[in-house]
Amino acid sequence: MSDLAAGSRRDAAPPCPVHPYGYHQRPRVNPEGSRTVLRNTSVVGIAARCPRLEEELLESEREIDFIDELWVRERATRGHGFVVLGVALVAALVALVMVNAASVGVETGAILAGGVLIVALDRADAALQRERLRRIRDWHKRVGSRH
């Protein structure tokens, strides 16, 4: 299909119900040979499904590449980056409080607040992982899987 025809169809298409305005202004599928199939701008790491993105993927004929990419992403282990960051911040805060000779109550409060921060960061990390896997499964419904 010519780029002109695809561009005019994109302009005439209704707004995307899933993605923000302007998301589909440029192609979202990378050309053949790129490491990833979709251009990702999501914190989750994989774009949400929508009819326009599915159509672009179908036109690019990279569905098999995308199935392979999904398989790899699905099996990638969950990182603990947020928790490690939280532990580092809490350790720095507690060290700063101790160096400044704060009272025992302030030190205890800093340690408890740090523990709450670490738990919150762990929950946020788990929520991101769940959403990432949900989107992967959603895409599997569209393009299939390697299983």
Side-chain angles (χ1 to χ4, degrees), residues 35 65-77 132-133 136 140 146-147:
R35 189 176 62 84
D65 295 338
F66 192 51
I67 291 170
D68 292 341
E69 183 179 333
L70 289 174
W71 186 87
V72 169
R73 286 179 180 235
E74 195 172 23
R75 282 153 184 77
T77 59
R132 184 180 72 85
L133 290 174
I136 288 171
H140 274 307
R146 286 180 66 188
H147 302 43

Side-chain angles (χ1 to χ4, degrees), residues 3 9 29 32 42 44-45 76 86 88 93 114 116 122 132 134 138:
D3 290 337
R9 190 176 59 230
V29 176
E32 185 74 32
S42 170
V44 177
L93 177 67
V116 169
D122 184 51
R132 184 180 72 85
R134 186 199 65 75
D138 194 38

Side-chain angles (χ1 to χ4, degrees), residues 4-112:
L4 182 60
S8 66
R9 190 176 59 230
R10 248 184 243 119
D11 295 340
C16 179
V18 177
H19 297 105
Y21 178 78
Y23 182 84
H24 295 285
Q25 297 248 334
R26 64 179 207 174
R28 303 311 303 179
V29 176
N30 286 323
E32 185 74 32
S34 300
R35 189 176 62 84
T36 59
V37 175
L38 299 179
R39 288 190 173 102
N40 296 326
T41 57
S42 170
V43 175
V44 177
I46 190 161
R49 273 181 61 195
C50 75
R52 293 175 75 178
L53 194 54
E54 289 179 12
E55 182 180 329
E56 189 177 342
L57 181 64
L58 183 64
E59 288 174 356
S60 71
E61 298 180 357
R62 293 200 67 196
E63 286 185 305
I64 301 299
D65 295 338
F66 192 51
I67 291 170
D68 292 341
E69 183 179 333
L70 289 174
W71 186 87
V72 169
R73 286 179 180 235
E74 195 172 23
R75 282 153 184 77
T77 59
R78 178 177 152 212
H80 296 286
F82 285 163
V83 174
V84 171
L85 176 66
V87 169
L89 287 173
V90 168
L93 177 67
V94 169
L96 181 66
V97 167
M98 290 179 152
V99 166
N100 288 328
S103 69
V104 174
V106 172
E107 290 175 2
T108 305
I111 291 170
L112 290 176

